[in-house]
Amino acid sequence: MKIDDHDHVTIPPNGKAHEPQPAWREEFPIDWPKDEFRSRRDFTKMLGLTSLAFVAGQVWIGVLSIMRKSRSAPARMDLGLLDELPIGGAKRFEFPSPGHPCLIVRLEKDSVVAFGQKCTHLSCPVIPNAELGKFLCPCHHGSFDIKTGRPLAGPPRRPLPKIELEIKDGRVYAVGFAEAGA
Amino acid sequence: MKGLSTLHQRNSMVLAIVCIVLCLVVMQLWLLTATMEAFLGGEDFIVWPAAAASLALFGLNFGLLHFYLRTLSC
Ligand code: FES
């Protein structure tokens, strides 16, 4: 390769002029501008693919959302007699299926609430503290309001999933999940 | 491309395109994390508009990439 066209050929790696370059440069003429051009082109192609992957991720979330909406309502679950639970006391249960821990807390004589027990930060089990009026997460000191499940402090940003309850003939039933923000 | 004949000019053009594409990809990343956060919080209404926005950003990226590969590549 002849080093004659400065626009198209090589800027020598040592940055010096073309003429005093050693003879081996003719044997191994690395064309730095071209090399840069190609590596930038490959990088941009990779960015294009990354962009496509993000679109795929968005569609995947959309599909999950549709699947969540079309899921049938969970079966009603008997949580036992309300009076079995002391005021300020809590009981653990699994709803809507095993492996989904939840907590029911009796706040007052006629007031009872239930939430998913997994912290919305990194899924540690939260612990109810009726005196403080909070669910406390021991992992990163997050806390949630015991009445609404809203995050109060620490890293969690989303509320605990609230479970709708029904009290009939002194018995408490879990009947489904409340809408977000309800 | 006429007027962009030297490799130096093309390299500058490519650098500009890389910067724009990079910004768009970062916006898509933000959009994905924000959508996931909203979805996990039970807010489904945002999911499809966000997907459409991400698709539009990809369209822009694709257009730039197409221009790059068709017009600027040697
Ligand atoms: S897992 Fe609960 S605060 Fe981090």
Side-chain angles (χ1 to χ4, degrees):
Chain A
M1 189 174 182
K2 231 169 169 280
I3 303 172
D4 50 2
D5 180 355
H6 288 203
D7 239 358
H8 290 99
V9 190
T10 219
I11 293 166
N14 61 8
K16 291 195 177 143
H18 288 272
E19 284 67 34
Q21 293 298 318
W24 62 263
R25 289 281 298 139
E26 296 216 356
E27 301 295 325
F28 304 100
I30 300 168
D31 192 332
W32 291 107
K34 252 185 195 168
D35 185 64
E36 256 180 42
F37 181 83
R38 289 205 180 117
S39 56
R40 279 179 195 165
R41 186 182 58 190
D42 290 347
F43 180 61
T44 315
K45 273 187 192 168
M46 193 271 291
L47 284 180
L49 285 177
T50 311
S51 173
L52 184 63
F54 284 146
V55 175
Q58 295 278 4
V59 171
W60 176 65
I61 297 175
V63 171
L64 287 182
S65 150
I66 291 173
M67 279 164 58
R68 183 163 74 182
K69 271 186 205 156
S70 61
R71 216 178 283 155
S72 55
R76 186 183 160 92
M77 183 186 247
D78 184 1
L79 302 179
L81 284 167
L82 178 62
D83 288 338
E84 282 173 357
L85 205 60
I87 293 171
K91 192 171 95 176
R92 194 175 174 279
F93 63 100
E94 296 192 340
F95 182 79
S97 53
H100 294 92
C102 301
L103 282 171
I104 176 170
V105 186
R106 189 171 182 190
L107 301 173
E108 286 157 27
K109 191 172 181 293
D110 297 319
S111 167
V112 69
V113 288
F115 294 95
Q117 200 190 2
K118 282 184 187 168
C119 175
T120 54
H121 177 224
L122 291 175
S123 296
C124 286
V126 295
I127 300 160
N129 187 322
E131 273 174 31
L132 294 178
K134 290 175 183 176
F135 287 105
L136 302 173
C137 179
C139 291
H140 311 103
H141 306 292
S143 63
F144 301 84
D145 187 280
I146 209 164
K147 286 184 185 155
T148 61
R150 286 187 200 286
L152 296 175
R157 290 282 168 271
R158 286 176 281 114
L160 292 172
K162 188 172 188 182
I163 293 154
E164 270 177 25
L165 298 174
E166 199 180 284
I167 302 172
K168 210 174 180 187
D169 303 328
R171 298 193 77 83
V172 187
Y173 298 90
V175 293
F177 286 94
E179 288 285 311
Chain B
M1 188 184 184
K2 270 186 193 161
L4 281 176
S5 55
T6 68
L7 210 48
H8 180 71
Q9 279 173 314
R10 273 188 290 177
N11 263 341
S12 310
M13 194 74 181
V14 165
L15 191 60
I17 291 179
V18 169
C19 289
I20 296 170
V21 171
L22 197 61
C23 287
L24 296 178
V25 168
V26 169
M27 278 167 78
Q28 279 187 298
L29 175 62
W30 174 81
L31 205 55
L32 185 72
T33 50
T35 312
M36 186 51 111
E37 188 75 8
F39 169 73
L40 291 174
E43 290 163 19
D44 289 277
F45 66 93
I46 205 75
V47 167
W48 287 109
S54 186
L55 190 66
L57 290 173
F58 170 71
L60 272 175
N61 276 343
F62 183 79
L64 284 169
L65 207 64
H66 191 260
F67 169 71
Y68 180 173
L69 295 176
R70 274 289 167 90
T71 322
L72 294 176
S73 276
C74 46

